[in-house]
Amino acid sequence: MRTSWADLAANSASENAGTSNSTAPSRPVYVPPHLRNRGPSESLAPAPPSNNNNNVGSRWGALPPRNGWGNRSGGWDRREVNPFGGQEDAAAEEELGGEEQQESTGINFDAYEDIPVETSGENVPPAVNTFAEIDLGNALNQNIRRCKYVKPTPVQRHAIPISLAGRDLMACAQTGSGKTAAFCFPIISGIMRGQAQVLQRPPPRGVRTVYPLALVLSPTRELSMQIHEEARKFSYQTGVRVVVAYGGAPINQQLRELERGVDILVATPGRLVDLLERARVSLQMIRYLALDEADRMLDMGFEPQIRKIVEQMDMPPAAARQTMLFSATFPKEIQRLASDFLSNYIFLAVGRVGSSTDLIVQRVEYVQESDKRSHLMDLLHAQKANGVQGKQALTLVFVETKKGADALEHWLCRNNFPATTIHGDRTQQERELALRSFKSGNTPILVATDVAARGLDIPHVAHVVNFDLPNDIDDYVHRIGRTGRAGKKGLATAFFNDNNASLARALADLMQEANQEVPDWLSRFAARSSFGGGRNRRSGGGRFGGRDFRREGSFSRGGSDYYSAGNNSSGYGTSGGYGGGYGPGVTSAWD
DNA sequence: AAAAAAT
């Protein structure tokens, strides 16, 4: 019987020393990172004093690099690869001055002042203004310094205290301003604290099953990669291990990484289901669930998979885990679906960055289908002339179809514009190469389908061209959000023609809300095509990414009413409840 | 209708 952490730690230590290859597989009983890898006596002793005091308890003592939880490979002792590339260690030691700091973060914090924030739900924990106010622990604080984060962004100021208080969260907030950190910090901190409680349930003893404590899901492979890279920085030398799993890449390498231990698993849904069905991963120990681009994850294409993962595998129920949903657009219908996954959650809406200053200049031009290519060429020529040192500024061109993407790429290349493309018909290798080549400026034009519309943080995208406009205004919002990142300026140009009539109203409204110049012809289009203008209608004003759907309509008396009333006769069982498909669809101007 | 996501 293993009844104490000392025993567990001892066992863990012996496994890690490679002496227990024949022992039982990993047991999903929680051992906090700072107790792993220790001998029995050591585990009971106070942790060594931290080398960088910041009034956190001894439990935050300096943590040795270790292998992760769920690991039985034994003897993995290798030094953790420094995700900062070795450059940042020095920076972490020194305190930089204000201006310099802000410059070096790459985030223009001035753009984050005066951002409207709205919260709803019961007992909302107060926001913080500095990282110092939050007890994240020494190791994490050091990584925050290494990342050169000086002060929390608005979404972090609100979301982190909410998460640290153990509350579920539905957050409407822009990416590129620290959204990943907003859910990673509390997860890492919580895992380190050992807040994750022992789950009293006998595990099925799959031979090489691993038991992550946190699961982060995202809708595209590249976004999962990006989250993984960021999370690794945040968890460097915390003892918390982050592993990523996604399709299109050899599974064996991912399996090996998993076997080395995993605390936080970042994944796309398909590959995760595969891993679950192979019993290589169990969700029994999940204490934290985060869905990035949550509205996308719950739309028609994804919902069944997500439901399967969250509700039909071995994930603990909502009340037994902490769930955080993030997106910049949150239609009411999706909020309703999402509320199934949440328990007494807090809704958080953070207004757009630069809601008054408009960091993204949006232009719409009327361009017939047949003129689009030459029009694009004109734009590219013009900006080449303006470009720094005659170089083409990074331009992201969105098209509707995969074939269209290939065709446009070839045409651009033939016309001496170095372009590449990313879409779902390309191999994962090609996709990753394309993204790297674009980011590096090697191929300054990237033609993309909506695979690249969400969440991807590509610094220095100067221009987003909607060569083909999407049918849904939310997609437009996500696409243009690839520029104007981190509080910097950006330009978005859309080619509009009769085929886009159904988007006219929503587009005109959106641009108006963002204080953009709306061409007269577009207003006329909008007036003409607005009757019954369906799902593209937005509402709730331009300040927020969304409003808490619990506050809308007849169930606004109090958040809890919604849960207790079984959708019976209280007046919102009908389509009126959440707008019959197009009501106040909640969107923000951003991710 | 298209795109994404497992092999």
Side-chain angles (χ1 to χ4, degrees):
Chain A
M1 268 311 261
R2 285 160 197 94
T3 49
S4 74
W5 274 6
D7 287 333
L8 290 162
N11 188 286
S12 156
S14 70
E15 280 189 18
N16 294 331
T19 56
S20 61
N21 284 339
S22 58
T23 59
S26 49
R27 285 157 296 278
V29 179
Y30 182 74
V31 179
H34 63 291
L35 290 182
R36 304 172 198 167
N37 263 355
R38 294 186 180 209
S41 57
E42 201 186 345
S43 69
L44 293 173
S50 56
N51 56 5
N52 211 334
N53 60 332
N54 62 348
N55 78 347
V56 290
S58 60
R59 66 184 183 282
W60 295 117
L63 296 161
R66 48 139 219 126
N67 47 356
W69 167 246
N71 170 328
R72 54 189 294 277
S73 60
W76 181 63
D77 203 11
R78 219 179 314 158
R79 213 188 127 82
E80 182 180 8
V81 176
N82 183 345
F84 298 96
Q87 290 275 318
E88 319 295 329
D89 271 334
E93 307 306 327
E94 52 183 295
E95 288 294 312
L96 299 165
E99 284 303 307
E100 222 175 320
Q101 276 178 325
Q102 300 202 351
E103 190 57 35
S104 59
T105 57
I107 295 180
N108 171 13
F109 277 92
D110 291 342
Y112 291 92
E113 301 302 326
D114 295 328
I115 293 201
V117 172
E118 194 173 276
T119 54
S120 50
E122 294 168 7
N123 300 319
V124 180
V128 294
N129 289 310
T130 63
F131 287 121
E133 290 172 57
I134 331 167
D135 185 18
L136 288 170
N138 182 53
L140 195 44
N141 281 336
Q142 200 158 335
N143 290 332
I144 291 172
R145 280 194 294 278
R146 289 187 176 109
C147 290
K148 303 190 174 88
Y149 293 171
V150 176
K151 56 181 180 181
T153 62
V155 64
Q156 291 167 359
R157 286 207 298 265
H158 290 81
I160 293 174
I162 291 170
S163 305
L164 287 177
R167 298 292 300 277
D168 280 5
L169 175 65
M170 182 187 288
C172 239
Q174 66 277 19
T175 55
S177 61
K179 189 161 64 85
T180 309
F183 61 78
C184 283
F185 289 179
I187 290 175
I188 294 166
S189 156
I191 290 175
M192 290 176 69
R193 270 167 210 264
Q195 268 177 355
Q197 297 298 306
V198 173
L199 197 64
Q200 306 288 353
R201 205 186 301 170
R205 302 199 149 185
V207 190
R208 285 171 295 181
T209 309
V210 293
Y211 298 84
L213 302 172
L215 176 64
V216 179
L217 291 172
S218 98
T220 65
R221 298 162 181 175
E222 287 76 13
L223 186 52
S224 282
M225 294 172 59
Q226 179 181 302
I227 294 167
H228 173 241
E229 279 160 27
E230 252 187 293
R232 267 185 52 220
K233 292 181 186 166
F234 302 149
S235 60
Y236 180 55
Q237 291 187 344
T238 61
V240 174
R241 229 177 95 80
V242 189
V243 176
V244 68
Y246 53 82
I251 199 168
N252 282 332
Q253 198 179 331
Q254 294 173 5
L255 287 172
R256 275 198 300 277
E257 285 297 317
L258 287 169
E259 279 174 37
R260 287 169 58 179
V262 53
D263 297 299
I264 303 176
L265 177 58
V266 182
T268 48
R271 177 55 61 89
L272 177 62
V273 168
D274 190 8
L275 292 167
L276 292 169
E277 285 171 350
R278 294 178 190 220
R280 299 300 293 260
V281 171
S282 161
L283 301 178
Q284 272 188 60
M285 291 297 287
I286 291 293
R287 312 305 303 165
Y288 302 92
L289 169 64
L291 300 195
D292 203 5
E293 306 298 339
D295 65 332
R296 178 79 182 79
M297 302 300 281
L298 288 167
D299 83 4
M300 286 203 317
F302 267 124
E303 200 217 346
Q305 267 180 310
I306 302 301
R307 253 183 215 289
K308 175 168 186 174
I309 291 165
V310 178
E311 294 176 333
Q312 287 152 37
M313 304 304 287
D314 52 354
M315 171 112 53
R321 59 165 200 259
Q322 202 179 328
T323 307
M324 295 173 269
L325 308 186
F326 282 81
S327 185
T329 53
F330 241 126
K332 295 247 178 288
E333 317 87 271
I334 304 285
Q335 287 191 41
R336 225 178 79 88
L337 290 177
S339 66
D340 287 354
F341 297 161
L342 296 160
S343 167
N344 186 27
Y345 65 95
I346 289 167
F347 181 90
L348 167 67
V350 180
R352 295 173 41 218
V353 171
S355 47
S356 56
T357 55
D358 298 319
L359 295 164
I360 300 180
V361 174
Q362 297 176 56
R363 283 203 217 124
V364 194
E365 292 166 3
Y366 193 91
V367 185
Q368 295 290 4
E369 285 303 321
S370 53
D371 296 338
K372 280 182 173 179
R373 284 181 175 185
S374 62
H375 199 83
L376 176 64
M377 177 103 86
D378 291 346
L379 290 180
L380 293 173
H381 272 303
Q383 78 185 28
K384 197 168 188 174
N386 299 339
V388 188
Q389 293 159 353
K391 279 199 167 180
Q392 186 75 53
L394 296 196
T395 303
L396 183 50
V397 182
F398 281 104
V399 296
E400 198 57 18
T401 66
K402 295 178 279 197
K403 277 180 176 250
D406 281 335
L408 185 57
E409 180 218 5
H410 288 132
W411 184 84
L412 284 167
C413 289
R414 274 205 311 278
N415 287 275
N416 295 317
F417 285 104
T420 184
T421 180
I422 184 167
H423 61 69
D425 273 356
R426 304 201 81 195
T427 67
Q428 192 55 28
Q429 249 188 344
E430 290 170 327
R431 285 165 58 157
E432 287 169 26
L433 179 66
L435 200 54
R436 273 200 305 277
S437 174
F438 180 59
K439 279 183 173 176
S440 71
N442 211 21
T443 320
I445 302 167
L446 179 65
V447 183
T449 59
D450 270 330
V451 69
R454 282 171 175 265
L456 291 188
D457 191 39
I458 310 169
H460 315 303
V461 174
H463 195 177
V464 169
V465 178
N466 273 289
F467 189 89
D468 301 320
L469 272 164
N471 295 314
D472 190 316
I473 192 66
D474 282 354
D475 293 332
Y476 173 84
V477 167
H478 285 274
R479 286 176 177 190
I480 68 170
R482 294 320 98 210
T483 186
R485 313 278 300 169
K488 296 205 172 74
K489 286 187 297 184
L491 172 64
T493 305
F495 296 173
F496 183 102
N497 60 40
D498 294 22
N499 298 334
N500 311 114
S502 68
L503 194 71
R505 176 61 176 274
L507 185 58
D509 288 352
L510 177 82
M511 290 179 67
Q512 184 122 46
E513 284 162 10
N515 297 320
Q516 300 292 313
E517 217 173 296
V518 182
D520 286 342
W521 58 262
L522 182 61
S523 301
R524 289 197 295 275
F525 248 106
R528 216 187 311 157
S529 56
S530 64
F531 306 105
R535 67 218 236 316
N536 281 329
R537 277 212 44 207
R538 295 161 58 86
S539 75
R543 288 184 3 130
F544 293 117
R547 283 187 68 86
D548 189 345
F549 89 115
R550 294 174 295 184
R551 297 172 68 164
E552 304 286 333
S554 55
F555 46 88
S556 57
R557 286 170 286 159
S560 54
D561 281 25
Y562 167 70
Y563 297 99
S564 50
N567 254 32
N568 40 31
S569 60
S570 49
Y572 55 85
T574 62
S575 63
Y578 50 98
Y582 66 89
V586 182
T587 34
S588 103
W590 250 244
D591 289 342

